[in-house]
Amino acid sequence: MTAPAGQQVGLAPTLLPHAQRHLPSYLRDLSHLVSIDSGSHSPAGVNRVADWVQERLGRLGFTIERFTTGTGGRPPAGDTLVARRQGRLSVAEGGRRILLAAHMDTVFEDGTAAARPFSMSGSVAHGPGVSDDKGGLLAGLTALEVLQDEGIEEFAEIVFLATPDEEIGAPASRAVTEATARGMHYGLALECARENGDLVIARKGVADFRLTVTGRAAHAGIEPERGANAALAAAHLVVALQNLNGHWDDVTVNVGVIRAGTRANIVCPDAELHVEVRAATLTDIRRVKEAIKEAADHPGVPGTRVRVEQLDLCAPMEDTPASRAMLRHAQAAASALGLGVDAVATGGVGDGNLIAGVGVPVLDGLGPVGGADHSPLEWLDTTTVAPRVALLASLIAALGDARPL
C-alpha cells in the first residue's frame, strides 16, 4: 500500500471554526441520542438510533443500505447501516477508500435513559452511552459535515458503518462489517479517545475455547477406584491453563467457567471449562492454542480425556507500519491544532478488530475525550469535541488523497 502524501493535514486549523459552529447542534443531538435506550438486546431502541443516523447520512448525500441480520439463535439485534459516498478522485488518480465505523448500541438496560438522563456538569456531559459510543458516532457524522462545509471531496469513497451489537461481540453485524471492510484502504474507528486524549493503535484479539473432560462414573463410597474423576482432571487443567499467564508478553488466559458433576456420591464423569485468551497478535493466539492442546493431552487423571474446541476468534487489531503511518498523519493534524496526541494499545475488543482482521489498517479512539464507560459515571468532555472533530476531518482529507505533492 502506498502511503498517502497527506497534503491535507494542514487543513486542521481551517476546519476548526466549522467544527466550533457545529458544537451547539452536536450537543443537542447528543442529548437526543442519549435519551434513547439502545442496549445491545433492545433492537427497537437501536433501530430508533439507526433511523436517526440514516436520515442524517441521507442529508449528507450518502447512499444507504440497511441490513437486518440473523443472530444464529441468539436474541434479535438491531439493523446495521452501511452508507457510501463517492468522492472526486478515482483510485487510479490517487483517491483512497476510507471506512468510518461506530456502534449504536450501549451496555445499558431499558429504562436507564429515563433514570439517568443526559446532563451537563459545566462542560462535562453525562448519560448512558455519552462516550461509548454515541459521542464518537456523532463526532464522525459532524466531521463529514465539516468536510462538506469546506467542499473537500478529494477521496475515492467514504463509507460510514454503524453497527447494532458491538458491545456483545457483534454476532449479528460481524459478516456485514467484514464484507464492507474488504477493499477499503483505511479504517477509522470512532470510539472516544482515552481519558488523556490518546488514540488507540492496537486492540488485543480474543479466542474462546471450550474444553470437555470425559471421565468415568463410579459409586463414590463403594468403588471409587473404578471411576475416573473428570472434576479432578478439570482442576488440574485450570491450574495448568492459568499458569500460562506470564509466558508471553501481552497475553492473558482466563478460565472463566467450570461445570462438573451432578451428585456428590458419584465420581464425576463429565466436566467443562470455558477459556478466554487475549493476545496482541495472531501468532501469540496460535501459540496459546497449542499450549492448551498440550495441557489437554496430559489431563493428570488416568482414565480421563479432554476435547478442545475453539468457539470463536476475533483477530487482534495489530500495531502495524501502516497504522503507524496513519497515526503520524493524525499527530500532524493534532499538532497544527496545538494538541499533543499519542497512541496506546488496549485489551478491549471493538469493531476495529473485525476491520483489521480482513487486512485493513485501523486507527481507533478518534472521537472526543471521554471515560468511565459502562458505568453510571460515564462522561464526555465537550471542550474536546470541536478540536477532535477538526482532527478527524483533517485526517479523512489527508488519507483520502494519495496524490504525490
Side-chain angles (χ1 to χ4, degrees), residues 247-273:
H247 283 226
W248 303 277
D249 291 338
D250 294 325
V251 172
T252 58
V253 181
N254 183 59
V255 182
V257 176
I258 308 171
R259 300 189 183 99
T262 57
R263 295 174 65 97
N265 62 351
I266 301 175
V267 174
C268 177
D270 301 292
E272 185 175 279
L273 285 70

Side-chain angles (χ1 to χ4, degrees), residues 84-398:
R84 300 177 181 274
R85 189 170 189 274
Q86 302 298 313
R88 291 192 185 116
L89 291 178
S90 69
V91 172
E93 294 169 324
R96 293 293 176 260
R97 299 188 182 98
I98 301 172
L99 175 63
L100 277 67
H103 63 92
M104 301 177 287
D105 61 321
T106 73
V107 299
F108 302 106
E109 300 297 323
D110 285 351
T112 306
R116 188 162 49 83
F118 179 86
S119 65
M120 293 287 296
S121 177
S123 60
V124 178
H126 295 277
V130 70
S131 168
D132 186 18
D133 182 32
K134 292 175 178 179
L137 170 75
L138 191 52
L141 295 171
T142 306
L144 296 176
E145 289 181 332
V146 166
L147 290 173
Q148 192 172 84
D149 290 347
E150 192 66 17
I152 295 171
E153 296 185 18
E154 283 68 40
F155 51 84
E157 183 182 40
I158 291 176
V159 179
F160 196 100
L161 170 71
T163 59
D165 56 351
E166 185 269 355
E167 296 291 6
I168 56 172
S173 64
R174 179 171 184 165
V176 175
T177 296
E178 291 173 340
T180 301
R182 291 187 179 96
M184 294 290 113
H185 292 96
Y186 300 103
L188 302 177
L190 303 175
E191 298 282 356
C192 281
R194 305 299 92 173
E195 293 189 14
N196 65 353
D198 284 348
L199 306 180
V200 175
I201 193 72
R203 291 182 177 273
K204 285 185 177 181
V206 179
D208 293 323
F209 298 89
R210 177 170 60 208
L211 279 65
T212 304
V213 186
T214 303
R216 187 168 55 251
H219 194 296
I222 298 174
E223 48 188 13
E225 70 281 357
R226 293 193 174 187
N229 197 315
L232 180 57
H236 283 292
L237 281 169
V238 170
V239 173
L241 298 183
Q242 291 293 147
N243 281 340
L244 293 175
N245 287 293
H247 283 226
W248 303 277
D249 291 338
D250 294 325
V251 172
T252 58
V253 181
N254 183 59
V255 182
V257 176
I258 308 171
R259 300 189 183 99
T262 57
R263 295 174 65 97
N265 62 351
I266 301 175
V267 174
C268 177
D270 301 292
E272 185 175 279
L273 285 70
H274 287 224
V275 183
E276 181 196 80
V277 175
R278 293 191 182 230
T281 68
L282 275 175
T283 298
D284 280 340
I285 288 178
R286 295 188 187 106
R287 286 173 178 156
V288 179
K289 181 178 181 179
E290 290 306 309
I292 291 172
K293 288 181 176 179
E294 176 67 18
D297 287 341
H298 303 87
V301 176
T304 62
R305 63 185 185 276
V306 183
R307 180 163 59 99
V308 178
E309 301 170 86
Q310 183 172 316
L311 302 179
D312 194 20
L313 172 64
C314 181
M317 186 184 111
E318 297 193 27
D319 185 341
T320 66
S323 58
R324 284 282 161 180
M326 297 169 70
L327 174 62
R328 287 193 291 274
H329 288 302
Q331 289 173 321
S335 178
L337 292 166
L339 304 174
V341 170
D342 206 344
V344 296
T346 178
V349 172
D351 287 330
N353 291 71
L354 303 180
I355 298 166
V358 299
V360 179
V362 179
L363 191 62
D364 202 344
L366 287 160
V369 175
D373 297 350
H374 299 191
S375 84
L377 301 177
E378 185 175 0
W379 57 272
L380 186 81
D381 182 355
T382 65
T383 67
T384 69
V385 170
R388 293 288 166 153
V389 166
L391 189 161
L392 175 59
S394 178
L395 180 60
I396 294 168

